[in-house]
Amino acid sequence: MKQHDTEYELDRTFQRFEDLHLNEIEKKETYRMLINSIDRTNKKAKLARFFHSAIPVALTTFLLIIGGLFGAHLLFTNEQVVPGTELMDEETAINELKPTDFYEFRLVAFFEEIPYESWSEDESLDPELKRQFQIYEELMTIDSLDRLEEFHILIPDSEYVEAFGVTEFPTFIGFDHTGIYMTTNELEDVESFMDFVQQQQSMSGAIAISKIEDFPYDIKKPAIMPFEPTWTQVEGSIVPYRSSYLNIDYSDEENRMQVFILSHISIEDPPGEHELPRESFQQVQLSDGRKALYILDGRTQVLLWDDGELNYRIIMYLDERDVEKYTIAELVEIADSFE
Protein backbone atom coordinates (compact mmCIF):
# COMPACT_ATOMS: atom_id res chain seq x y z
CA MET A 1 0.00 0.00 0.00
CA LYS A 2 1.21 3.47 -0.80
CA GLN A 3 2.56 6.01 1.68
CA HIS A 4 1.39 9.63 1.55
CA ASP A 5 4.22 11.97 0.60
CA THR A 6 4.90 15.36 2.11
CA GLU A 7 3.71 17.40 -0.87
CA TYR A 8 0.40 15.50 -0.96
CA GLU A 9 -0.23 16.01 2.75
CA LEU A 10 0.64 19.70 2.52
CA ASP A 11 -1.94 20.13 -0.23
CA ARG A 12 -4.57 18.47 1.97
CA THR A 13 -3.48 20.63 4.92
CA PHE A 14 -4.10 23.89 3.12
CA GLN A 15 -7.33 22.64 1.55
CA ARG A 16 -8.70 22.39 5.10
CA PHE A 17 -7.37 25.72 6.41
CA GLU A 18 -10.71 27.43 5.76
CA ASP A 19 -12.23 25.39 8.59
CA LEU A 20 -10.00 27.25 11.06
CA HIS A 21 -11.81 30.55 10.36
CA LEU A 22 -8.57 32.55 10.51
CA ASN A 23 -8.33 36.11 9.28
CA GLU A 24 -5.88 36.91 6.51
CA ILE A 25 -3.08 38.00 8.89
CA GLU A 26 -3.40 34.82 10.94
CA LYS A 27 -3.42 32.70 7.78
CA LYS A 28 -0.22 34.34 6.50
CA GLU A 29 1.51 33.98 9.87
CA THR A 30 0.49 30.34 10.20
CA TYR A 31 1.66 29.69 6.64
CA ARG A 32 5.02 31.38 7.36
CA MET A 33 5.58 29.37 10.55
CA LEU A 34 4.68 26.13 8.83
CA ILE A 35 6.86 26.67 5.75
CA ASN A 36 9.84 27.82 7.83
CA SER A 37 9.64 24.70 9.97
CA ILE A 38 9.48 22.09 7.21
CA ASP A 39 12.59 20.14 6.32
CA ARG A 40 12.64 20.66 2.55
CA THR A 41 13.90 17.30 1.40
CA ASN A 42 12.52 14.69 -0.93
CA LYS A 43 12.08 12.17 1.84
CA LYS A 44 8.56 10.86 2.28
CA ALA A 45 6.96 11.44 5.65
CA LYS A 46 3.59 10.79 7.17
CA LEU A 47 1.33 13.66 8.04
CA ALA A 48 1.58 13.07 11.76
CA ARG A 49 5.29 13.87 11.77
CA PHE A 50 4.58 17.54 11.32
CA PHE A 51 3.09 17.65 14.80
CA HIS A 52 6.32 16.80 16.65
CA SER A 53 9.36 17.87 14.68
CA ALA A 54 8.30 19.86 11.66
CA ILE A 55 5.87 22.20 13.38
CA PRO A 56 6.98 24.17 16.45
CA VAL A 57 5.31 23.41 19.73
CA ALA A 58 3.68 26.85 19.71
CA LEU A 59 1.95 26.17 16.39
CA THR A 60 0.80 22.74 17.53
CA THR A 61 -0.76 24.26 20.64
CA PHE A 62 -2.39 26.96 18.54
CA LEU A 63 -3.96 24.43 16.19
CA LEU A 64 -5.14 22.20 19.02
CA ILE A 65 -6.89 25.07 20.76
CA ILE A 66 -8.66 26.15 17.60
CA GLY A 67 -9.38 22.77 16.12
CA GLY A 68 -9.14 19.85 18.49
CA LEU A 69 -9.52 17.51 15.50
CA PHE A 70 -6.59 16.58 13.30
CA GLY A 71 -5.54 13.60 11.22
CA ALA A 72 -5.35 12.28 7.71
CA HIS A 73 -7.86 14.85 6.44
CA LEU A 74 -6.98 17.63 8.91
CA LEU A 75 -10.55 18.40 9.94
CA PHE A 76 -10.23 21.19 12.49
CA THR A 77 -13.89 21.17 13.45
CA ASN A 78 -14.00 20.36 17.16
CA GLU A 79 -14.71 23.31 19.44
CA GLN A 80 -13.12 23.24 22.88
CA VAL A 81 -15.38 23.00 25.90
CA VAL A 82 -15.55 26.28 27.81
CA PRO A 83 -15.43 25.80 31.59
CA GLY A 84 -18.88 26.05 33.07
CA THR A 85 -20.68 25.04 29.85
CA GLU A 86 -22.64 21.83 29.39
CA LEU A 87 -20.58 18.90 28.11
CA MET A 88 -21.51 17.22 24.85
CA ASP A 89 -23.61 14.07 25.19
CA GLU A 90 -23.39 10.98 22.98
CA GLU A 91 -26.53 11.75 20.97
CA THR A 92 -25.24 15.23 20.08
CA ALA A 93 -21.83 13.81 19.17
CA ILE A 94 -23.39 11.18 16.90
CA ASN A 95 -25.53 13.79 15.14
CA GLU A 96 -22.45 15.94 14.54
CA LEU A 97 -20.29 13.14 13.21
CA LYS A 98 -22.62 10.92 11.21
CA PRO A 99 -22.86 11.63 7.45
CA THR A 100 -26.14 12.61 5.84
CA ASP A 101 -25.82 10.80 2.52
CA PHE A 102 -26.86 7.18 2.07
CA TYR A 103 -23.50 6.20 0.60
CA GLU A 104 -21.20 8.32 2.75
CA PHE A 105 -19.20 7.00 5.71
CA ARG A 106 -16.97 8.52 8.37
CA LEU A 107 -14.32 7.15 10.71
CA VAL A 108 -13.11 8.61 14.02
CA ALA A 109 -9.88 7.26 15.56
CA PHE A 110 -8.95 8.07 19.16
CA PHE A 111 -5.24 7.91 20.05
CA GLU A 112 -3.51 8.83 23.29
CA GLU A 113 -0.82 10.64 21.31
CA ILE A 114 0.17 11.20 17.68
CA PRO A 115 3.49 9.57 16.64
CA TYR A 116 6.47 11.85 16.28
CA GLU A 117 9.18 11.50 13.64
CA SER A 118 11.79 9.54 15.54
CA TRP A 119 9.52 7.51 17.78
CA SER A 120 10.79 4.18 16.46
CA GLU A 121 14.33 5.08 17.57
CA ASP A 122 13.30 6.27 21.01
CA GLU A 123 14.47 3.57 23.46
CA SER A 124 12.74 5.34 26.35
CA LEU A 125 9.34 5.27 24.67
CA ASP A 126 6.60 3.79 26.83
CA PRO A 127 5.65 0.31 25.49
CA GLU A 128 1.97 1.19 25.42
CA LEU A 129 2.59 4.33 23.35
CA LYS A 130 4.85 2.32 21.07
CA ARG A 131 2.00 -0.15 20.49
CA GLN A 132 -0.38 2.73 19.65
CA PHE A 133 2.13 4.36 17.32
CA GLN A 134 2.57 1.08 15.45
CA ILE A 135 -1.21 0.79 15.01
CA TYR A 136 -1.35 4.43 13.85
CA GLU A 137 1.29 3.74 11.21
CA GLU A 138 -0.59 0.65 10.01
CA LEU A 139 -3.87 2.60 9.92
CA MET A 140 -2.34 5.21 7.62
CA THR A 141 -1.40 2.56 5.07
CA ILE A 142 -5.04 1.64 4.38
CA ASP A 143 -5.57 3.06 0.89
CA SER A 144 -9.35 2.90 1.08
CA LEU A 145 -9.44 5.61 3.76
CA ASP A 146 -9.75 8.02 0.84
CA ARG A 147 -13.26 6.66 0.27
CA LEU A 148 -14.41 8.13 3.58
CA GLU A 149 -16.39 11.35 3.45
CA GLU A 150 -14.53 12.44 6.61
CA PHE A 151 -11.75 10.90 8.71
CA HIS A 152 -10.92 12.34 12.11
CA ILE A 153 -8.07 11.56 14.50
CA LEU A 154 -8.66 12.78 18.05
CA ILE A 155 -6.60 12.86 21.23
CA PRO A 156 -7.79 12.82 24.87
CA ASP A 157 -8.38 16.61 24.96
CA SER A 158 -11.36 16.24 22.63
CA GLU A 159 -14.84 16.51 24.08
CA TYR A 160 -15.83 13.52 21.96
CA VAL A 161 -13.70 11.29 24.21
CA GLU A 162 -16.04 11.91 27.14
CA ALA A 163 -19.16 11.95 24.96
CA PHE A 164 -18.44 8.43 23.70
CA GLY A 165 -16.96 7.19 26.98
CA VAL A 166 -13.59 6.33 25.41
CA THR A 167 -11.26 4.79 27.99
CA GLU A 168 -8.98 2.65 25.81
CA PHE A 169 -6.64 3.80 23.06
CA PRO A 170 -6.81 3.41 20.21
CA THR A 171 -10.58 3.30 19.80
CA PHE A 172 -12.21 3.43 16.36
CA ILE A 173 -15.81 4.46 15.66
CA GLY A 174 -17.28 4.07 12.18
CA PHE A 175 -20.40 5.98 11.11
CA ASP A 176 -22.97 5.55 8.36
CA HIS A 177 -25.96 7.83 7.71
CA THR A 178 -27.96 6.18 10.53
CA GLY A 179 -25.34 6.73 13.24
CA ILE A 180 -22.68 4.45 14.75
CA TYR A 181 -21.97 1.42 12.57
CA MET A 182 -19.14 -0.07 14.63
CA THR A 183 -16.99 0.64 17.70
CA THR A 184 -13.76 -1.30 18.14
CA ASN A 185 -10.21 -1.29 19.48
CA GLU A 186 -8.97 -3.61 16.73
CA LEU A 187 -7.44 -2.50 13.45
CA GLU A 188 -8.79 -5.66 11.77
CA ASP A 189 -12.32 -4.40 12.43
CA VAL A 190 -11.43 -1.08 10.79
CA GLU A 191 -10.22 -2.96 7.72
CA SER A 192 -13.50 -4.91 7.66
CA PHE A 193 -15.41 -1.63 7.95
CA MET A 194 -13.49 -0.20 5.00
CA ASP A 195 -14.23 -3.36 2.99
CA PHE A 196 -17.91 -2.76 3.73
CA VAL A 197 -17.59 0.89 2.65
CA GLN A 198 -16.02 -0.14 -0.66
CA GLN A 199 -18.69 -2.75 -1.24
CA GLN A 200 -21.50 -0.26 -0.64
CA GLN A 201 -19.94 2.41 -2.81
CA SER A 202 -19.16 0.03 -5.66
CA MET A 203 -22.85 -0.63 -6.25
CA SER A 204 -23.54 0.49 -9.79
CA GLY A 205 -26.67 2.10 -11.15
CA ALA A 206 -29.54 3.87 -9.44
CA ILE A 207 -31.78 2.44 -6.76
CA ALA A 208 -35.40 3.20 -7.65
CA ILE A 209 -37.71 4.34 -4.87
CA SER A 210 -41.46 4.89 -4.72
CA LYS A 211 -41.93 6.16 -1.15
CA ILE A 212 -40.97 9.47 0.39
CA GLU A 213 -39.55 7.71 3.46
CA ASP A 214 -37.09 5.79 1.26
CA PHE A 215 -35.36 9.01 0.23
CA PRO A 216 -32.23 9.28 2.43
CA TYR A 217 -32.79 12.95 3.31
CA ASP A 218 -35.19 14.87 5.50
CA ILE A 219 -37.38 16.79 3.08
CA LYS A 220 -39.97 19.54 3.28
CA LYS A 221 -43.38 19.57 1.57
CA PRO A 222 -45.73 22.43 0.65
CA ALA A 223 -48.34 23.46 3.22
CA ILE A 224 -50.04 25.67 0.61
CA MET A 225 -51.13 24.48 -2.82
CA PRO A 226 -53.14 26.24 -5.55
CA PHE A 227 -55.53 23.29 -5.83
CA GLU A 228 -56.66 20.26 -3.83
CA PRO A 229 -54.88 17.22 -5.29
CA THR A 230 -56.92 14.09 -5.78
CA TRP A 231 -53.98 11.99 -6.92
CA THR A 232 -50.35 11.85 -5.78
CA GLN A 233 -47.49 9.81 -7.19
CA VAL A 234 -43.96 9.46 -5.83
CA GLU A 235 -40.92 8.23 -7.69
CA GLY A 236 -37.20 8.80 -7.48
CA SER A 237 -33.77 7.24 -7.42
CA ILE A 238 -30.67 7.08 -5.24
CA VAL A 239 -27.34 7.16 -7.04
CA PRO A 240 -24.11 6.76 -5.03
CA TYR A 241 -21.93 9.88 -5.11
CA ARG A 242 -24.21 11.54 -7.64
CA SER A 243 -27.40 13.52 -7.58
CA SER A 244 -30.29 11.54 -6.14
CA TYR A 245 -33.80 12.83 -6.72
CA LEU A 246 -37.35 12.59 -5.44
CA ASN A 247 -40.36 13.63 -7.54
CA ILE A 248 -43.77 14.17 -5.92
CA ASP A 249 -46.46 14.61 -8.54
CA TYR A 250 -49.74 16.23 -7.41
CA SER A 251 -52.78 16.51 -9.69
CA ASP A 252 -56.54 16.70 -10.03
CA GLU A 253 -58.71 16.65 -13.14
CA GLU A 254 -57.50 20.05 -14.35
CA ASN A 255 -54.23 20.86 -12.57
CA ARG A 256 -50.82 19.34 -12.13
CA MET A 257 -47.89 20.38 -9.94
CA GLN A 258 -44.59 18.62 -9.34
CA VAL A 259 -42.21 19.04 -6.43
CA PHE A 260 -38.80 17.94 -7.62
CA ILE A 261 -36.05 17.54 -4.98
CA LEU A 262 -32.39 16.85 -5.78
CA SER A 263 -29.23 16.24 -3.77
CA HIS A 264 -25.73 17.35 -4.81
CA ILE A 265 -27.25 20.15 -6.89
CA SER A 266 -27.43 23.90 -6.24
CA ILE A 267 -28.85 26.84 -8.15
CA GLU A 268 -25.30 28.23 -8.02
CA ASP A 269 -24.00 25.27 -10.05
CA PRO A 270 -23.67 25.41 -13.82
CA PRO A 271 -26.76 23.95 -15.52
CA GLY A 272 -26.81 20.30 -16.47
CA GLU A 273 -26.53 19.01 -20.01
CA HIS A 274 -30.27 19.16 -20.65
CA GLU A 275 -31.03 22.30 -18.62
CA LEU A 276 -31.48 25.84 -19.83
CA PRO A 277 -28.63 28.30 -19.19
CA ARG A 278 -28.94 30.17 -15.90
CA GLU A 279 -29.24 33.52 -17.69
CA SER A 280 -32.57 32.30 -19.04
CA PHE A 281 -33.97 32.44 -15.50
CA GLN A 282 -35.30 35.44 -13.65
CA GLN A 283 -33.84 35.90 -10.19
CA VAL A 284 -36.40 36.39 -7.41
CA GLN A 285 -36.39 36.22 -3.62
CA LEU A 286 -38.26 34.12 -1.11
CA SER A 287 -39.73 35.95 1.88
CA ASP A 288 -36.70 35.11 4.06
CA GLY A 289 -34.32 36.63 1.51
CA ARG A 290 -33.07 33.42 -0.06
CA LYS A 291 -32.32 33.49 -3.75
CA ALA A 292 -34.65 31.66 -6.13
CA LEU A 293 -34.82 31.33 -9.92
CA TYR A 294 -37.95 31.48 -12.06
CA ILE A 295 -38.63 30.62 -15.69
CA LEU A 296 -41.62 30.28 -18.01
CA ASP A 297 -40.62 27.37 -20.22
CA GLY A 298 -43.15 26.38 -22.84
CA ARG A 299 -45.68 24.21 -21.03
CA THR A 300 -44.41 24.83 -17.48
CA GLN A 301 -43.63 27.48 -14.91
CA VAL A 302 -40.64 26.56 -12.76
CA LEU A 303 -39.35 28.02 -9.48
CA LEU A 304 -36.17 26.58 -7.98
CA TRP A 305 -34.24 27.34 -4.79
CA ASP A 306 -31.82 25.75 -2.33
CA ASP A 307 -32.72 24.66 1.18
CA GLY A 308 -29.77 23.27 3.11
CA GLU A 309 -28.16 20.45 1.15
CA LEU A 310 -31.13 19.99 -1.17
CA ASN A 311 -32.40 21.77 -4.26
CA TYR A 312 -36.18 22.21 -4.58
CA ARG A 313 -38.16 22.86 -7.75
CA ILE A 314 -41.84 23.64 -8.16
CA ILE A 315 -43.04 22.74 -11.65
CA MET A 316 -46.50 24.02 -12.58
CA TYR A 317 -48.10 22.69 -15.78
CA LEU A 318 -49.92 25.23 -17.96
CA ASP A 319 -53.22 25.14 -19.81
CA GLU A 320 -51.78 27.10 -22.74
CA ARG A 321 -48.22 27.19 -23.97
CA ASP A 322 -46.19 30.20 -22.71
CA VAL A 323 -49.22 31.64 -20.90
CA GLU A 324 -48.57 32.01 -17.16
CA LYS A 325 -51.18 30.34 -15.00
CA TYR A 326 -49.76 31.60 -11.70
CA THR A 327 -48.00 34.80 -10.72
CA ILE A 328 -44.45 34.70 -9.40
CA ALA A 329 -45.81 35.93 -6.05
CA GLU A 330 -48.11 32.91 -5.88
CA LEU A 331 -45.23 30.54 -6.59
CA VAL A 332 -43.08 32.24 -3.95
CA GLU A 333 -45.94 31.85 -1.46
CA ILE A 334 -45.99 28.10 -2.17
CA ALA A 335 -42.21 27.90 -1.76
CA ASP A 336 -42.37 29.83 1.52
CA SER A 337 -44.89 27.30 2.87
CA PHE A 338 -42.54 24.30 2.62
CA GLU A 339 -42.15 22.71 6.03
Side-chain angles (χ1 to χ4, degrees), residues 281-316:
F281 290 78
Q282 176 183 344
Q283 183 171 324
V284 298
Q285 277 192 336
L286 303 185
S287 62
D288 60 4
R290 280 179 296 161
K291 175 182 174 181
L293 298 177
Y294 167 78
I295 191 170
L296 173 63
D297 180 26
R299 301 294 301 185
T300 60
Q301 290 176 267
V302 182
L303 184 73
L304 55 155
W305 71 97
D306 294 332
D307 191 332
E309 61 187 338
L310 297 175
N311 176 259
Y312 285 78
R313 305 179 182 203
I314 298 173
I315 304 171
M316 312 298 295

Side-chain angles (χ1 to χ4, degrees), residues 62-272:
F62 170 69
L63 294 176
L64 287 174
I65 292 174
I66 293 179
L69 289 175
F70 55 94
H73 286 212
L74 278 182
L75 296 174
F76 298 95
T77 56
N78 181 26
E79 297 180 359
Q80 299 297 307
V81 178
V82 178
T85 61
E86 185 177 349
L87 295 176
M88 179 183 294
D89 58 27
E90 184 177 22
E91 182 179 356
T92 301
I94 291 173
N95 288 333
E96 286 192 3
L97 290 173
K98 71 177 183 179
T100 57
D101 203 325
F102 194 82
Y103 286 97
E104 290 178 344
F105 300 87
R106 296 179 183 177
L107 178 67
V108 178
F110 297 87
F111 283 88
E112 196 169 353
E113 286 188 23
I114 302 299
Y116 48 94
E117 185 172 11
S118 58
W119 70 269
S120 60
E121 303 170 3
D122 188 353
E123 296 181 357
S124 63
L125 180 63
D126 180 79
E128 170 58 22
L129 279 182
K130 182 177 181 179
R131 181 187 72 87
Q132 291 188 38
F133 289 175
Q134 288 172 337
I135 294 174
Y136 181 98
E137 298 281 348
E138 292 176 31
L139 173 67
M140 290 305 176
T141 64
I142 301 177
D143 287 339
S144 55
L145 291 177
D146 288 338
R147 287 179 170 267
L148 294 168
E149 195 245 340
E150 289 184 9
F151 172 34
H152 301 264
I153 292 183
L154 293 91
I155 57 174
D157 303 31
S158 167
E159 59 186 327
Y160 293 104
V161 170
E162 184 166 348
F164 290 115
V166 175
T167 57
E168 296 182 41
F169 299 95
T171 290
F172 306 99
I173 303 179
F175 297 85
D176 64 10
H177 73 285
T178 65
I180 294 178
Y181 180 85
M182 66 107 196
T183 301
T184 184
N185 304 111
E186 303 297 329
L187 192 60
E188 288 183 0
D189 294 333
V190 175
E191 293 172 339
S192 297
F193 174 66
M194 293 311 306
D195 289 342
F196 168 74
V197 170
Q198 291 189 80
Q199 180 184 13
Q200 293 297 304
Q201 293 177 349
S202 64
M203 295 174 63
S204 60
I207 300 173
I209 58 175
S210 58
K211 298 178 181 179
I212 292 176
E213 54 266 30
D214 290 337
F215 195 57
Y217 298 91
D218 293 328
I219 69 163
K220 297 179 180 180
K221 294 183 289 184
I224 296 175
M225 296 185 65
F227 60 92
E228 188 69 32
T230 57
W231 184 76
T232 302
Q233 182 177 3
V234 176
E235 59 94 16
S237 72
I238 304 169
V239 185
Y241 288 109
R242 295 174 57 191
S243 179
S244 299
Y245 79 88
L246 182 70
N247 179 33
I248 309 174
D249 200 331
Y250 303 95
S251 63
D252 63 12
E253 292 182 357
E254 298 180 352
N255 303 285
R256 184 183 178 193
M257 166 180 148
Q258 285 181 309
V259 173
F260 203 73
I261 306 170
L262 301 104
S263 69
H264 295 83
I265 295 290
S266 168
I267 61 174
E268 304 298 339
D269 296 335

Side-chain angles (χ1 to χ4, degrees), residues 17 22 163 175 260 275 308 336:
F17 256 36
L22 306 178
F175 297 85
F260 203 73
E275 289 189 304
D336 286 337

